[in-house]
Amino acid sequence: MSASVCPAVDNSFGPYAGSCRGGFDFTLLFEETILSLLPLCVILVVVPWRALYLVRRKTKVDGTVLLPLKLLLYASYAVLQIALIALWANPSAVRTRSTIPNAAVGLVGFLTLALLSFLEHQRTLRPSMLLEFYLLFSLLFDAAKVRTLWLQGYNNNPAIVSTVALVLKLLLLVAEAQTKRKSLRIEWKSQSPEATSGLFGKSLFLWLNQTFRRGYANSLSVEDLLQLDKHLMAHYLFEKLHQPWSDLAEKSPRSLLMLVISRLKWRVLAAVPPRLALIGFKFCQPFLIERAISFNRQPINQTSTNQGYGLIGAYFLVYTGIAVTMGQYQHLTYRSITMARGGLISMLFAKVTFVKANAADPASSLTLMSADIERITNGWQTMHECWANPIEVGIAIYLLERQLGPACAIPLGVAIGKLDILVKHRVPLAVSWIKA
């Protein structure tokens, strides 16, 4: 496509830029609005509510060099945004209708994020997951925009400033990801490493590394294990469940289940977003495989080379996403199971200690604390599969129908038949085992 046509293409929403820049790029307007302006506006909506919450919290961190460093980086980024506004305002700059508004909102946005960073640093135990999440994704999006500016060839000055801004944003992400454990005040020093980990530490389970190092060098003892999070402590779970159970006027066979779910609802629901993300990443795989097969049939040229690099990046993102979301889904699920088990056993133990010796069968109490609690926790391991699996089956049948037509119903019928057999034989055996 002619170089004189590409500015007009970039001023359209696209998102595909046609044959401009090798036929493998977004339009500049799409990158400025969807990849830059939209995420910033979303986080700016959240910032006031988060800031109001943090203002009411106690200061947990002593003064360190990390906070002035963060603020200096935010100020430097704001200066670069001012420089970008000046460069884009130049009549000779080839811009879109959203370029200057995008730069102006970016300036205001990062000044606001600097205020949030100040509050997050002083009044939270862990690095700001909100800022880490935004900076990570905006860094990827900004890299795409910087690539576009350099490939244009006629916006070199904005490209240089945007590249420096991209490096500053990377430094900001590194600074925001630093833990504050060493600078916590005395009353907060005993917090578990998990409670003081940020987005990367939690997603990659980096807080377990010190335990692995100890176990690799020596035999682990109880003293070597990490401090438990307060939300997993027996006394916390007992207080969370015992009093509401005592205040319950009418108790039905499902009252205890509903009480536990209602009291731990946010812990239970915390596993829903990673499970949904896992579904999305899983079903990206057949599309990637289909695209890779068609890519192998293409002739080798500049366009196919760019598409190959895109496929490499897509595979990296999808399989990294599967690993991270699977880990977080299972971690959050077992965390809610641990909380439910700890609360139930604490309540049962408290009940047994106040029951007269001749008023109850010790064997029944032992059964409740072993077999029944085990069955409850085993059932909770797959509680999110109850809603996730039908979604996955529906998507899978749809994808099969695209390839096989009506024959896609055959595997569905086989699965339903096996499920019917399993229910008929396994449930009675499980009931007999519990009664025994």
Side-chain angles (χ1 to χ4, degrees):
M1 186 178 289
S2 173
S4 60
V5 179
C6 288
V9 173
D10 279 327
N11 201 25
S12 65
F13 184 77
Y16 178 51
S19 59
C20 292
R21 298 178 289 278
F24 190 75
D25 201 8
F26 296 119
T27 64
L28 186 57
L29 180 64
F30 175 81
E31 292 171 342
E32 289 173 342
T33 54
I34 302 301
L35 301 186
S36 180
L37 196 58
L38 180 60
L40 185 57
C41 290
V42 170
I43 195 173
L44 287 180
V45 172
V46 179
V47 164
W49 303 103
R50 180 63 178 171
L52 286 175
Y53 169 79
L54 292 173
V55 166
R56 302 187 183 98
R57 312 300 292 180
K58 294 181 179 179
T59 300
K60 299 179 175 66
V61 179
D62 291 322
T64 61
V65 71
L66 182 59
L67 179 58
L69 177 61
K70 290 180 183 178
L71 297 179
L72 177 62
L73 290 172
Y74 278 106
S76 302
Y77 193 90
V79 171
L80 290 177
Q81 288 297 112
I82 295 173
L84 271 178
I85 294 174
L87 290 172
W88 285 121
N90 192 318
S92 63
V94 182
R95 57 181 181 268
T96 70
R97 56 184 181 271
S98 67
T99 299
I100 294 179
N102 177 60
V105 174
L107 172 61
V108 175
F110 267 80
L111 291 175
T112 307
L113 293 182
L115 173 62
L116 178 63
S117 178
F118 176 80
L119 293 174
E120 290 274 8
H121 182 88
Q122 286 196 325
R123 299 170 187 266
T124 60
L125 298 173
R126 60 166 59 98
S128 174
M129 298 184 71
L130 179 64
L131 288 173
E132 285 184 88
F133 191 81
Y134 168 74
L135 289 172
L136 175 62
F137 281 92
S138 67
L139 187 69
L140 298 176
F141 297 153
D142 284 358
K145 187 170 71 171
V146 168
R147 175 183 179 272
T148 297
L149 292 175
W150 280 111
L151 290 177
Q152 282 180 335
Y154 44 77
N155 278 321
N156 291 334
N157 289 335
I160 293 171
V161 176
S162 297
T163 303
V164 177
L166 184 68
V167 174
L168 267 181
K169 186 172 282 190
L170 176 61
L171 295 176
L172 266 173
L173 177 60
V174 173
E176 289 290 356
Q178 299 303 307
T179 61
K180 301 172 285 185
R181 189 169 185 82
K182 294 181 180 178
S183 57
L184 292 176
R185 293 187 171 180
I186 296 177
E187 59 267 34
W188 306 101
K189 285 283 188 182
S190 61
Q191 294 294 320
S192 67
E194 182 184 3
T196 58
S197 297
L199 177 67
F200 295 103
K202 280 184 166 292
S203 299
L204 304 176
F205 300 100
L206 300 179
W207 51 277
L208 290 172
N209 285 349
Q210 58 180 301
T211 304
F212 292 149
R213 284 195 295 267
R214 289 176 186 171
Y216 182 77
N218 304 291
S219 297
L220 288 174
S221 63
V222 176
E223 290 75 16
D224 294 323
L225 298 180
L226 298 175
Q227 176 72 23
L228 273 180
D229 189 344
K230 71 172 185 177
H231 299 104
L232 301 177
M233 295 288 190
H235 62 84
Y236 171 84
L237 296 170
F238 177 76
E239 293 298 330
K240 196 172 185 65
L241 297 179
H242 176 69
Q243 193 59 45
W245 177 251
S246 301
D247 296 339
L248 197 62
E250 298 182 3
K251 296 181 174 68
S252 66
R254 293 184 177 86
S255 295
L256 183 59
L257 172 63
M258 301 310 298
L259 175 72
V260 173
I261 292 177
S262 65
R263 297 297 292 173
L264 302 179
K265 58 181 178 294
W266 298 118
R267 305 295 175 180
V268 173
L269 293 175
V272 172
R275 187 64 181 90
L276 286 172
L278 180 61
I279 293 174
F281 284 122
K282 277 183 176 180
F283 285 100
C284 284
Q285 295 177 94
F287 293 103
L288 282 176
I289 294 172
E290 182 180 15
R291 185 65 187 89
I293 292 173
S294 64
F295 172 76
N296 285 334
R297 303 193 187 109
Q298 294 180 216
I300 299 176
N301 51 42
Q302 185 60 43
T303 300
S304 64
T305 301
N306 290 334
Q307 291 175 354
Y309 290 138
L311 274 175
I312 292 172
Y315 269 95
F316 174 79
L317 290 176
V318 167
Y319 285 102
T320 301
I322 289 175
V324 171
T325 53
M326 174 65 82
Q328 288 305 301
Y329 161 61
Q330 293 190 346
H331 172 63
L332 294 171
T333 299
Y334 280 98
R335 184 181 177 87
S336 63
I337 290 173
T338 302
M339 294 179 71
R341 181 174 57 195
L344 291 173
I345 291 178
S346 299
M347 290 171 61
L348 184 58
F349 184 77
K351 182 72 174 178
V352 170
T353 55
F354 289 101
V355 173
K356 294 181 181 180
N358 58 356
D361 182 8
S364 299
S365 301
L366 183 61
T367 301
L368 287 172
M369 294 185 69
S370 56
D372 290 358
I373 298 296
E374 180 185 355
R375 295 295 299 176
I376 292 172
T377 55
N378 286 343
W380 274 42
Q381 291 176 19
T382 56
M383 60 181 171
H384 290 293
E385 302 303 318
C386 295
W387 60 265
N389 283 349
I391 295 175
E392 291 183 340
V393 169
I395 297 174
I397 293 299
Y398 168 72
L399 294 177
L400 281 175
E401 191 275 335
R402 292 178 61 201
Q403 302 293 329
L404 304 178
C408 68
I410 296 176
L412 181 62
V414 173
I416 293 175
K418 286 188 175 181
L419 179 64
D420 182 61
I421 296 173
L422 181 65
V423 170
K424 285 182 179 179
H425 291 83
R426 183 174 179 180
V427 173
L429 293 174
V431 172
S432 301
W433 182 81
I434 294 174
K435 288 180 178 180

